[in-house]
Amino acid sequence: MAFDNLKDKLSDIFKNLKRKGKLTEADVKLAMREIRVALLEADVNFKVAKDFVKSISEKAVGAEVMESLTPGQQVIKIVNEELCTLMGGENQKINFSDNPPTVIMLVGLQGTGKTTTCAKLSGILKKQGKRPMLVACDVYRPAAVKQLCTVGGSFDVPVYYEEDCKNPVQIAKNGVEKAKKELNDVVIIDTAGRLHIDEELMDELSSIKEAVNPTEILLVIDAMTGQDALNFATAFNDRLDMTGVIITKLDGDARGGSVLSVKAITGKPVKFVGMGEKLNELEPFHPDRMASRILGMGDVLSLIEKAEQAIDMKKAQELTEKMRAQTFTFTDFLDQIDQVKNMGPIEDLLGMLPGVNKKALAGVKIPDNQFDKTKAIIYSMTVAERENPSIINLSRKERIAKGSGTTVPEVNALLKQFEQMKKMMKQFTGKKMPRHFRGLF
C-alpha cells in the first residue's frame, strides 16, 4: 500500500520527539534530516523534499513550539499542515461546463490504466446524476476499443467508436456531437498512450484539444513509475496545460512519492487516485485525509464513505434489529461477509482507523480465499443449521466439512467465531458504534 514505508519511518521519528519533554534546535534539526531521508526513500522529488523540510524547520524552531508543554505534538501538527499544503490543500472536484456537454480528456503514457480509469470515472459521475458517454480515440492499441466497451458496459455507460475511422481527432469531434444529440452531459475521451518525446503523437493530442475544447485534461500517472512520472508530467503539462492528475495503482507501491511531488512540480492538483483493479476502486483525492493516514492518524471519513457506498442500509438496519433480538443467523452472516468484502481488503479498512499501526496489522491480512472458505462452510449447512447452529453435533460437522472441502476443526473454529461475534455485537449494537457502522460490525 502507498506510503507504508514512509508512514513507518515517520512514526518512529515522531515517537522519539514525543519522548522528549523539551525540544532543542539540535533535536529538530536531527528530526528534519531523518524526515528528508524518509521522503527521498519514498521517491519524493529531491527539491520538493528539501523545500518541504525547510518550511517545517522554520516553523518548528519558533518559540511557540520550543516552549510548548507538548513540543513533539506541535511538530507533528506542523508536518500534517505542510503535507496537506504540499498535496494541494483540499479536494479538487471535476469542473463542469456551464454549456454541456463537459468534455474530459484523459492522457498519459501506455500502460497507466487510462482505459479502465475512463470507465471508473464515468461510474463515479453517473452516481452523481450525470449522463456520461465514453469516446474511444485509441486507434493504435489492439482491442483498446473492445476493452473500453467492456468496462463501460459494466456501468451501463454508452461508448462511441468508429470502426472504419483511424483519425482520433475526427472521432473525438464526432463523439462530442453524438453526445449533444443524445443529451449526454459528460464526454470522457480515452486517448492512446504515448511518450512525451513523440512529437507526432503529442501534436495529435494538441489537435484533439483544439477540436473539442475540453473542460478537463487529466493526466493519468502510474504510481509505480516513480521519479520518471514527474518528468513526463511536466512535458504533458507544458504541451497541453492540463487541469489535473489521476494517479493509478497506488495500492501496489509502498512509496507513493509521485502523490507528494506532482502538485509542487506541475502546479496541477491530484483529483483522483486508483486504489485497486476493481471498477469501484477509483477515489476522489483528499489531501487532508491522505496526510492523516501518512501520519498514522487514520482516515475515518473515507472509511465511513466506503461503508455508505458498500452497505445496503436497509439490510444493515435489519441486522441491527436481529442482533438486538439475538436472532442473528449464519444466513445474515453471509450477507455481512459480502458487504464487508465490497468495502475492500480488511487490512486497508483497519489502516483507516486512528492509532492503528501498520506493523500491528502484519498478521491481520485476510486473503479472499479465507472468505470463500467461510462461505463454503455456511453453504454446506442445512437451512435449519444456519438458523440454529446449536443443533450442529459431531456427525453434522463431519458432513459440513466434507461438503465444503474443509476439516472439522475449521468448522469448529467458525462456529466459535460466530458465537463470539454475536456476543460482541450484542454489547455494542446501537450504543458505541457510529450510526454508519451499525449492523456491519
Side-chain angles (χ1 to χ4, degrees):
M1 193 68 176
F3 301 117
D4 282 351
N5 294 340
L6 178 60
K7 180 179 177 180
D8 291 342
K9 291 183 184 300
L10 290 180
S11 176
D12 292 338
I13 294 169
F14 294 147
K15 277 181 184 176
N16 291 332
L17 287 177
K18 287 190 286 188
R19 287 194 190 105
K20 300 177 182 292
K22 188 174 182 180
L23 292 182
T24 64
E25 286 195 28
D27 293 329
V28 173
K29 190 174 181 179
L30 175 60
M32 293 305 108
R33 186 184 304 122
E34 292 174 339
I35 288 175
R36 183 170 63 249
V37 171
L39 290 171
L40 293 175
E41 289 179 351
D43 222 5
V44 175
N45 175 270
F46 175 77
K47 184 179 184 304
V48 173
K50 181 181 176 182
D51 292 345
F52 177 75
V53 169
K54 181 182 178 182
S55 179
I56 296 172
S57 298
E58 291 173 352
K59 297 177 181 179
V61 296
E64 184 179 342
V65 174
M66 305 299 283
E67 297 175 10
S68 169
L69 294 176
T70 56
Q73 293 286 5
Q74 292 293 325
V75 172
I76 295 173
K77 180 174 180 289
I78 292 171
V79 173
N80 182 43
E81 291 170 349
E82 291 299 314
L83 269 178
C84 287
T85 302
L86 181 64
M87 292 187 286
E90 59 184 21
N91 171 243
Q92 297 291 322
K93 302 182 187 304
I94 292 289
N95 294 309
F96 295 105
S97 173
D98 293 331
N99 187 22
T102 296
V103 179
I104 302 172
M105 186 174 159
L106 266 60
V107 301
L109 302 184
Q110 293 177 336
T112 56
K114 287 188 304 303
T115 300
T116 306
T117 301
C118 279
K120 291 179 177 180
L121 181 57
S122 73
I124 290 175
L125 297 180
K126 193 170 182 181
K127 284 184 178 178
Q128 295 175 5
K130 301 296 182 181
R131 298 186 68 248
M133 171 185 282
L134 301 173
V135 177
C137 288
D138 184 351
V139 298
Y140 307 109
R141 180 168 62 89
V145 173
K146 185 177 180 180
Q147 182 189 359
L148 188 63
C149 289
T150 300
V151 291
S154 300
F155 295 104
D156 197 23
V157 172
V159 178
Y160 180 83
Y161 64 94
E162 297 182 19
E163 292 182 355
D164 299 325
C165 182
K166 298 299 179 183
N167 184 342
V169 180
Q170 190 61 48
I171 294 172
K173 286 179 66 176
N174 294 345
V176 172
E177 289 304 314
K178 177 72 170 178
K180 290 178 180 178
K181 293 177 182 177
E182 299 292 333
L183 300 181
N184 294 97
D185 52 8
V186 177
V187 175
I188 303 175
I189 299 176
D190 180 29
T191 64
R194 66 204 69 211
L195 292 172
H196 57 287
I197 56 175
D198 190 324
E199 285 298 323
E200 184 178 345
L201 288 179
M202 291 301 288
D203 286 343
E204 181 183 275
L205 286 181
S206 298
S207 297
I208 294 175
K209 175 184 177 181
E210 185 177 346
V212 300
N213 190 27
T215 307
E216 293 271 8
I217 301 177
L218 303 178
L219 175 67
V220 182
I221 294 177
D222 181 339
M224 302 179 78
T225 307
Q227 288 290 315
D228 287 341
L230 301 176
N231 296 328
F232 75 75
T234 301
F236 271 88
N237 188 45
D238 290 344
R239 177 64 72 95
L240 299 171
D241 189 23
M242 61 199 194
T243 58
V245 177
I246 297 176
I247 297 182
T248 61
K249 307 177 188 178
L250 205 56
D251 59 313
D253 184 30
R255 295 169 299 175
S258 55
V259 178
L260 293 176
S261 305
V262 71
K263 175 65 168 64
I265 295 297
T266 67
K268 308 300 181 180
V270 177
K271 295 200 172 187
F272 295 91
V273 288
M275 301 303 294
E277 295 181 358
K278 295 179 181 178
L279 291 177
N280 64 344
E281 292 181 324
L282 182 70
E283 304 174 359
F285 181 66
H286 296 270
D288 54 342
R289 300 184 192 181
M290 185 61 75
S292 184
R293 291 177 70 174
I294 293 173
L295 299 180
M297 301 174 185
D299 184 1
V300 175
L301 287 176
S302 291
L303 182 58
I304 289 172
E305 286 178 0
K306 277 181 174 288
E308 289 178 333
Q309 291 171 10
I311 296 170
D312 183 324
M313 298 310 291
K314 184 178 179 181
K315 280 188 176 181
Q317 186 60 40
E318 290 173 356
L319 285 175
T320 301
E321 297 303 324
K322 287 186 176 184
M323 289 172 202
R324 287 198 180 110
Q326 293 184 282
T327 57
F328 184 74
T329 68
F330 268 113
T331 301
D332 301 317
F333 191 32
L334 277 175
D335 284 338
Q336 191 181 46
I337 290 174
D338 288 335
Q339 295 197 57
V340 171
K341 281 188 70 176
N342 287 338
M343 290 177 64
I346 294 294
E347 64 272 18
D348 290 353
L349 301 181
L350 293 176
M352 293 181 182
L353 296 174
V356 177
N357 191 301
K358 185 70 179 179
K359 294 177 182 177
L361 298 178
V364 178
K365 187 174 178 65
I366 301 176
D368 284 343
N369 65 355
Q370 184 61 48
F371 281 117
D372 295 338
K373 185 182 290 185
T374 298
K375 292 174 74 172
I377 292 174
I378 298 173
Y379 280 129
S380 295
M381 298 177 184
T382 65
V383 174
E385 289 166 346
R386 291 186 203 176
E387 298 297 317
N388 185 16
S390 63
I391 67 173
I392 302 178
N393 55 25
L394 180 58
S395 63
R396 289 176 182 264
K397 291 175 184 176
E398 290 174 344
R399 190 203 76 248
I400 293 169
K402 186 176 180 180
S404 59
T406 58
T407 64
V408 171
E410 287 176 314
V411 175
N412 282 332
L414 177 59
L415 291 170
K416 183 177 180 181
Q417 177 190 3
F418 181 71
E419 288 302 317
Q420 290 174 337
M421 187 183 68
K422 282 178 67 176
K423 291 178 182 177
M424 181 188 73
M425 288 191 295
K426 185 175 183 296
Q427 292 175 354
F428 287 104
T429 298
K431 295 179 181 179
K432 300 179 181 179
M433 285 289 177
R435 64 180 180 83
H436 305 83
F437 300 123
R438 291 172 194 168
L440 176 63
F441 299 108

